[in-house]
Amino acid sequence: MIHIKNTEEIELMRKSALLVSKTLAEVARIIKPGITTLDLDVFIGAFIKDNNAAPSFLNYQEYPFNSCISVNDVVVHGFPNKKALKEGDVISVDVGVYKNNFHGDHAYTFILGEVNDEIIRLVKETKTSLYKGIEKAIAGNYVGDISAAIQEHAQTKHGYGVVRELVGHGIGKQLHEGPEVPNYGKRGTGKKLREGMVLAIEPMINMGSREIYTDKDGWTVRTQDGKTSVHFEHNICVQKSKADILSDYTIIEA
Ligand code: MF3
Ligand code: CO
């Protein structure tokens, strides 16, 4: 179902999205070689509860952790674990919170220490592809305009693999609402965008081929070729002339 949000609901959704941003900003402060992704997950769960909210992912379709932490060849839905992070790792941290009846859900990819220029470029251009998509999230456009903008930047322009099996989504009282927002597609196709639609736009972009598989744990999604994958996600509200970005990367990058 697609649910159009009114002004008050959008402000509550901004609070939820910003609590995710604040959580990721705390992660940015503590993430370093030697820390485990399980340490980060425990920290994330406590921080969310201290802010009078609940982690949206925990127990969602039996997902067993507070967050998804996806390292190197893991695309998304990585299980936090007891392995220490090391210099050169590329880590997507995806967090969801439920507060005041609304979910926030977004993600940021961190790089630890020195990595080669190709990795830096993959991270930078995945983030750029997200913003290219957000530019198209205006009333009267179509979901396919967002999808095509992401695909054109990541695949056509830079030659990366665009993951197709997992997609962005509407968000609100439910973590996943309509419409689905693929990261590939054709302009002018799909659902028409209307003012007050709130979307989680989340390109998952692979250095190599777009092929993926799911681990035996039933969740962890990996690249088939073992190459690095990057994931960025924002929550945005469709408006007349320019999307309103509800989440905030500036506090994470500070
Ligand atoms: N950002 C992801 C999504 O929107 C995270 C979901 S993890 C889950 O689907 F555990 F909640 F499924
Ligand atoms: Co999402």
Side-chain angles (χ1 to χ4, degrees):
M1 275 282 283
I2 297 179
H3 296 282
I4 300 297
K5 278 83 181 177
N6 64 31
T7 315
E8 284 126 86
E9 292 172 324
I10 292 163
E11 288 320 307
L12 292 176
M13 291 207 70
R14 192 189 311 282
K15 286 200 174 131
S16 297
L18 280 179
L19 177 54
V20 176
S21 309
K22 284 180 195 157
T23 309
L24 292 172
E26 292 300 317
V27 169
R29 287 154 47 95
I30 63 171
I31 196 169
K32 59 171 192 295
I35 198 166
T36 73
T37 53
L38 192 59
D39 294 333
L40 294 177
D41 186 72
V42 169
F43 175 88
I44 288 165
F47 186 82
I48 292 169
K49 279 172 210 138
D50 285 348
N51 283 276
N52 305 312
S56 304
F57 301 167
L58 184 64
N59 299 325
Y60 179 86
Q61 292 178 1
E62 296 179 50
Y63 185 78
F65 295 96
N66 300 303
S67 61
C68 303
I69 306 186
S70 304
V71 182
N72 299 333
D73 68 311
V74 179
V75 179
V76 285
H77 301 167
F79 277 6
N81 60 47
K82 287 187 173 162
K83 203 174 147 204
L85 291 173
K86 57 182 193 314
E87 172 120 358
D89 282 342
V90 175
I91 309 123
S92 149
V93 183
D94 192 350
V95 171
V97 305
Y98 184 67
K99 183 167 178 153
N100 303 318
N101 302 315
F102 287 97
H103 291 276
D105 163 24
H106 77 101
Y108 195 87
T109 292
F110 300 91
I111 299 176
L112 283 194
E114 296 282 314
V115 294
N116 64 41
D117 291 352
E118 274 180 39
I119 297 280
I120 292 174
R121 205 176 325 130
L122 175 67
V123 173
K124 174 169 173 278
E125 300 306 344
T126 300
K127 187 157 55 146
T128 302
S129 77
L130 169 58
Y131 285 103
K132 294 275 177 192
I134 292 171
E135 272 175 29
K136 301 294 175 191
I138 52 179
N141 276 0
Y142 293 84
V143 170
D145 296 323
I146 300 173
S147 307
I150 294 169
Q151 185 179 21
E152 277 163 27
H153 187 80
Q155 184 185 319
T156 315
K157 187 155 180 226
H158 289 280
Y160 297 136
V162 175
V163 173
R164 299 192 178 195
E165 291 83 350
L166 298 143
V167 297
H169 50 93
I171 178 167
K173 289 184 176 161
Q174 303 293 327
L175 177 60
H176 294 138
E177 299 181 355
E180 289 196 342
V181 185
N183 297 304
Y184 67 96
K186 288 199 175 10
R187 286 179 193 276
T189 65
K191 292 270 185 304
K192 195 171 199 164
L193 299 173
R194 290 171 53 196
E195 232 179 306
M197 275 186 185
V198 179
L199 306 176
I201 306 179
E202 50 179 320
M204 290 150 262
I205 306 298
N206 298 349
M207 180 72 88
S209 97
R210 69 172 180 82
E211 308 298 330
I212 56 168
Y213 69 96
T214 306
D215 266 1
K216 286 193 295 290
D217 64 24
W219 280 98
T220 308
V221 176
R222 293 180 188 271
T223 59
Q224 238 166 53
D225 61 14
K227 293 187 180 169
T228 304
S229 184
V230 170
H231 174 224
F232 281 93
E233 177 175 18
H234 259 316
N235 294 157
I236 66 97
C237 182
V238 175
Q239 295 293 350
K240 275 205 188 83
S241 58
K242 191 174 186 291
D244 183 358
I245 305 179
L246 305 179
S247 36
D248 184 3
Y249 282 170
T250 63
I251 63 171
I252 302 168
E253 289 165 357

